[in-house]
Amino acid sequence: MSAYFKQMFFIDVLHDDLDAIEFPTFEEAIGLLDLAVRKRQSFKDFDLENLAKDCNRIGFIRQYLVLLLAEVLEDKTAIVKGLHCALVNRLAELGWLTKTFFISTNYDVLIDRALASRNDIALDYGVDFTNYISPAASSDNYKPVISLYKLHGSLNWSYCPTCNALKLIKYQQGIIKLLTDPSQALCTNCKSVKTPVIVPPTFFKDMSNSFLNIVWHKTETSLRDVGHLIFCGYSFPDADMHIKYLIKRIQTNRTDQLRITVVNNYPGKKQEKAVEEKKRYTRFLGTHICFTNNTFEDFCRRTEVFL
């Protein structure tokens, strides 16, 4: 990994003063690798698959970048104040939880844990795991089913490409084991090394995983009947063209107007960033959008105001 940053970005992560360095964005660091794979090209000393020993350094570095992203997320989400639980509980108090379905572009398991903490509902990811069958498809389920569709994968999903099987690591960010203890990340069936189901934030997203395709299809099907779409903590980035395509389909393939609310303020947010974000929303989805100055915490604590 250090060799990649030194050769490609002239940064010596082992000896330079890292606080004084302008690092590339994550999109830039992994985007080079994704584009090389798409174009079937290599960089010097960073090859694709070939007959040479220790080949495919591009794939190796890319995998490590994804896992390091996961590790950073685990550190960041460890200090969250329990807002997701507050949101879920408030929706339940208002009688709206069973009328709501959740779409997440995040990999963390904060909303997963919040939903799973309630004994009066069943959590549906839209796909079946080897150790967790979708309650929406089970005749034995007697609880209301709440859907959580994670469009870019999740830190508690592990995939065996040999068995083509998906396992749910119960509400833990278990993918980190690939970094800390690879021996614990082996498929129990075929002993192959499992891989994370994570689509990183690049312009060249690989959406080929069959399980993710099922999730995307169910998301679009569910969104057709939605009257109010609320974006929380989402800046509508240019790199998320797949999501923009999905929303545009459900926005245009309906007879009534889709109600859209954006809740994405936070302490210290610069005005120019807010203006640019609003432009991204309006130029793609139109001007009939309710932009709030509220934070995600506001939404979780006073959900009824926004509904």
Side-chain angles (χ1 to χ4, degrees):
M1 184 68 72
S2 61
Y4 176 68
F5 280 96
K6 189 171 185 178
Q7 179 166 320
M8 304 302 295
F9 301 104
F10 319 108
I11 298 172
D12 188 343
V13 297
L14 300 178
H15 301 100
D16 288 345
D17 179 5
L18 302 186
D19 292 333
I21 292 175
E22 186 73 25
F23 274 88
T25 65
F26 183 83
E27 291 85 349
E28 291 170 337
I30 200 171
L32 285 177
L33 304 175
D34 284 344
L35 190 54
V37 171
R38 288 198 172 208
K39 295 173 73 69
R40 304 304 302 166
Q41 294 176 338
S42 302
F43 293 99
K44 184 180 179 181
D45 298 326
F46 294 93
D47 300 325
L48 292 173
E49 311 88 23
N50 55 43
L51 296 178
K53 185 180 179 180
D54 299 325
C55 69
N56 195 23
R57 288 189 76 194
I58 283 181
F60 180 82
I61 295 296
R62 186 189 183 282
Q63 188 78 284
Y64 259 83
L65 281 173
V66 171
L67 291 173
L68 287 172
L69 170 67
E71 187 173 35
V72 170
L73 283 175
E74 185 171 48
D75 290 340
K76 294 289 186 181
T77 57
I79 58 174
V80 174
K81 308 173 185 176
L83 294 178
H84 295 76
C85 283
L87 171 62
V88 169
N89 292 335
R90 188 66 187 133
L91 283 169
E93 292 170 5
L94 296 169
W96 275 89
L97 184 55
T98 56
K99 303 174 185 178
T100 302
F101 85 93
F102 299 82
I103 304 172
S104 178
T105 60
N106 296 332
Y107 320 113
D108 63 61
V109 295
L110 296 174
I111 188 63
D112 312 50
R113 289 170 177 164
L115 290 168
S117 68
R118 297 191 62 92
N119 295 321
D120 55 341
I121 61 172
L123 176 57
D124 174 37
Y125 283 101
V127 291
D128 287 337
F129 301 85
T130 57
N131 59 334
Y132 183 77
I133 304 301
S134 167
S138 174
S139 58
D140 298 331
N141 178 58
Y142 59 90
K143 299 178 182 178
V145 176
I146 308 299
S147 297
L148 168 60
Y149 297 148
K150 306 190 79 168
L151 298 179
H152 291 160
S154 182
L155 293 179
N156 63 334
W157 297 3
S158 65
Y159 174 67
C160 176
T162 303
C163 299
N164 191 30
L166 194 65
K167 182 177 181 180
L168 180 68
I169 307 170
K170 277 284 186 176
Y171 317 119
Q172 299 174 5
Q173 308 191 141
I175 289 302
I176 307 301
K177 289 181 180 178
L178 287 168
L179 275 177
T180 59
D181 188 3
S183 65
Q184 297 298 311
L186 299 180
C187 175
T188 55
N189 182 50
C190 69
K191 305 306 178 184
S192 297
V193 177
K194 292 182 286 187
T195 63
V197 184
I198 293 178
V199 181
T202 77
F203 287 97
F204 314 106
K205 291 181 172 62
D206 180 6
M207 310 298 294
S208 60
N209 184 280
S210 58
F211 293 100
L212 280 182
N213 285 329
I214 294 172
V215 172
W216 278 78
H217 174 70
K218 290 190 175 182
T219 301
E220 180 174 349
T221 301
S222 299
L223 279 174
R224 292 172 186 165
D225 299 324
V226 165
H228 189 185
L229 184 58
I230 303 176
F231 292 93
C232 292
Y234 186 66
S235 62
F236 214 60
D238 293 330
D240 278 357
M241 196 62 210
H242 288 84
I243 290 179
K244 292 183 177 182
Y245 177 80
L246 171 66
I247 295 172
K248 182 58 68 175
R249 279 181 56 81
I250 65 103
Q251 184 189 38
T252 56
N253 293 340
R254 59 192 300 129
T255 56
D256 58 336
Q257 183 171 297
L258 178 64
R259 184 182 171 197
I260 300 174
T261 300
V262 178
V263 182
N264 195 32
N265 197 13
Y266 52 84
K269 186 173 186 178
K270 295 181 179 179
Q271 180 63 23
E272 56 268 27
K273 189 169 185 177
V275 170
E276 182 58 37
E277 180 181 294
K278 185 174 182 179
K279 287 180 180 178
R280 285 197 296 272
Y281 271 101
T282 54
R283 72 172 177 245
F284 195 83
L285 297 177
T287 57
H288 297 288
I289 302 174
C290 175
F291 293 94
T292 74
N293 291 320
N294 299 96
T295 66
F296 180 60
E297 183 170 0
D298 295 332
F299 178 70
C300 295
R301 305 293 187 195
R302 298 184 291 116
T303 313
E304 63 275 13
V305 175
F306 304 90
L307 299 181

